[in-house]
């Protein structure tokens, strides 16, 4: 199917943090995120989680 | 270089946090105590190695991460963790509970705002640690290997003898659980 559901978009957002998504996967994800504010927010949440873990990994979090 | 008594004091202060991080990764008190002890000894045996280019905390956490990776490689399969079938089921149930039958979410995700302000707050990281502690053992270990020890997916699969698709599922579940936990215990509280 051409359009991702939110469930598929969530999974692809997570997998995209651990592997290189294909051009088709990236295009479908981008299309879904452009139309779905909830998944777009979820994408922002995943980014914040990764940044928080990076900071925790470096110095244990906020001093 | 930091004077030795001062270094002792700073390391003493750091110890509880180091133990929490080791425990989040290893899920075993004895192993966690051991790696923290080895880390502190390594710093105290060669205090001149700390050049002061980074903060002492960053330097010590860097050593702790190497010690944990060494332990994981050394004892690899021996200290492997498995989650119970109940836990497996509850993980699948969690994902199902978030989506309707047509694959769309029951509830819209909230915007968490700019990371900058959040990541400056000590309480946020304490909440994140609590959420990490709540993860099922195997899920938590895999997530910490990926995001805290910053190992590649290939390295994790090799260490734990799991397939990449299995790893992606575990990481996806971990992120969903952490998102739910932070949304409820941090971002939800801020909205009140």
């Amino acid at each position: 199917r051409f359009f991702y559901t939110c469930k598929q978009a969530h999974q692809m957002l997570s997998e995209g943090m651990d592997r290189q998504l294909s051009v088709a996967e990236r295009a479908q994800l981008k299309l879904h995120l452009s139309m779905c504010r909830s998944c777009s927010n979820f994408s922002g949440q995943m980014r914040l989680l990764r940044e928080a873990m990076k900071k925790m990994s470096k110095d244990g979090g906020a001093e | 270089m930091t004077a030795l008594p001062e270094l002792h004091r700073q390391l003493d202060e750091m110890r509880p946090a180091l133990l929490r991080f080791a425990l989040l990764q290893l899920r075993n008190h004895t192993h966690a105590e051991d790696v923290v002890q080895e880390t502190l000894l390594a710093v105290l045996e060669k205090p001149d190695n700390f050049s002061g280019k980074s903060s002492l905390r960053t330097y010590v956490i860097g050593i702790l991460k190497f010690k944990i990776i060494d332990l994981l490689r050394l004892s690899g399969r021996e200290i492997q963790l498995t989650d119970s079938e109940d836990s497996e089921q509850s993980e699948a149930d969690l994902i199902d509970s978030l989506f309707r039958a047509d694959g769309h979410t029951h509830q819209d995700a909230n915007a968490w705002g700019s990371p900058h302000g959040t990541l400056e707050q000590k309480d946020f990281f304490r909440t994140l640690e609590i959420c990490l502690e709540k993860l099922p053992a195997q899920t938590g270990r895999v997530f910490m290997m990926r995001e805290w020890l910053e190992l590649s997916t290939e390295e994790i699969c090799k260490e734990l003898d799991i397939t990449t698709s299995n790893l992606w599922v575990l990481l996806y579940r971990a992120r969903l659980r952490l998102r739910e936990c932070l949304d409820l215990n941090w971002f939800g509280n801020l909205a009140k």
Side-chain angles (χ1 to χ4, degrees):
Chain A
R1 55 191 297 168
F2 183 70
F3 293 110
Y4 276 165
T5 63
C6 294
K7 190 173 185 176
Q8 289 168 315
H10 277 48
Q11 192 167 347
M12 295 315 288
L13 278 165
S14 176
E15 282 192 21
M17 297 166 87
D18 305 308
R19 70 173 173 92
Q20 187 79 42
L21 298 181
S22 71
V23 173
E25 287 169 336
R26 277 206 306 274
Q28 289 183 76
L29 187 56
K30 199 173 169 183
L31 179 64
H32 183 95
L33 294 181
S34 71
M35 298 187 299
C36 177
R37 194 173 59 175
S38 176
C39 286
S40 182
N41 284 343
F42 179 80
S43 173
Q45 292 172 344
M46 291 297 102
R47 271 200 304 274
L48 191 146
L49 181 58
R50 172 147 279 184
E51 281 189 45
M53 289 306 297
K54 262 191 190 307
K55 192 163 169 50
M56 189 188 269
S57 176
K58 186 184 171 207
D59 58 18
E63 291 290 323
Chain B
M1 191 193 104
T2 312
L4 213 51
E6 176 60 10
L7 183 62
H8 266 281
R9 189 192 63 75
Q10 289 184 26
L11 291 177
D12 256 355
E13 250 177 36
M14 239 179 268
R15 200 172 190 289
L18 296 175
L19 197 54
R20 285 202 310 272
F21 294 136
L23 203 50
L24 281 173
Q25 176 63 71
L26 298 168
R27 310 271 163 163
N28 175 304
H29 272 280
T30 309
H31 289 136
E33 286 276 2
D34 286 350
V35 289
V36 169
Q37 200 58 28
E38 281 182 33
T39 299
L40 298 177
L41 278 175
V43 177
L44 288 168
E45 278 171 359
K46 295 181 178 172
D48 292 346
N49 283 0
F50 173 55
S51 63
K53 281 179 187 164
S54 59
S55 74
L56 179 65
R57 193 178 167 92
T58 298
Y59 174 69
V60 175
I61 286 177
I63 293 175
L64 176 66
K65 285 162 70 175
F66 278 116
K67 295 285 179 195
I68 290 174
I69 291 171
D70 282 348
L71 177 68
L72 289 173
R73 295 208 165 132
L74 194 68
S75 48
R77 312 284 149 71
E78 283 171 36
I79 56 170
Q80 246 198 40
L81 303 162
T82 50
D83 294 334
S84 68
E85 281 182 20
D86 285 352
S87 162
E88 269 291 310
Q89 187 53 47
S90 77
E91 292 278 272
D93 289 346
L94 168 79
I95 294 176
D96 285 342
S97 72
L98 297 174
F99 301 98
R100 299 192 311 239
D102 64 4
H104 290 282
T105 47
H106 278 297
Q107 202 175 5
D108 284 355
N110 300 313
W112 281 359
S114 148
H116 182 71
T118 302
L119 301 184
E120 293 303 315
Q121 298 182 65
K122 204 170 187 170
D123 284 348
F124 169 76
F125 283 94
R126 195 66 200 105
T127 306
L128 177 56
E129 282 177 35
I130 291 167
C131 291
L132 286 164
E133 283 166 16
K134 286 182 182 173
L135 290 175
Q138 173 78 333
T139 309
R141 162 173 288 185
V142 163
F143 181 78
M144 288 293 283
M145 286 175 91
R146 178 77 182 116
E147 302 286 355
W148 192 73
L149 291 176
E150 301 181 294
L151 296 176
S152 70
T153 52
E154 292 80 9
E155 287 174 304
I156 299 170
C157 289
K158 191 177 158 198
E159 292 301 328
L160 299 179
D161 194 22
I162 57 175
T163 64
T164 46
S165 52
N166 191 352
L167 174 64
W168 293 335
V169 169
L170 286 169
L171 289 170
Y172 175 48
R173 288 173 177 178
R175 288 175 183 132
L176 280 185
R177 276 186 177 273
L178 290 169
R179 191 207 83 89
E180 290 294 302
C181 182
L182 287 172
D183 205 43
L184 186 69
N185 295 296
W186 180 260
F187 294 98
N189 286 338
L190 295 184
K192 279 173 193 168

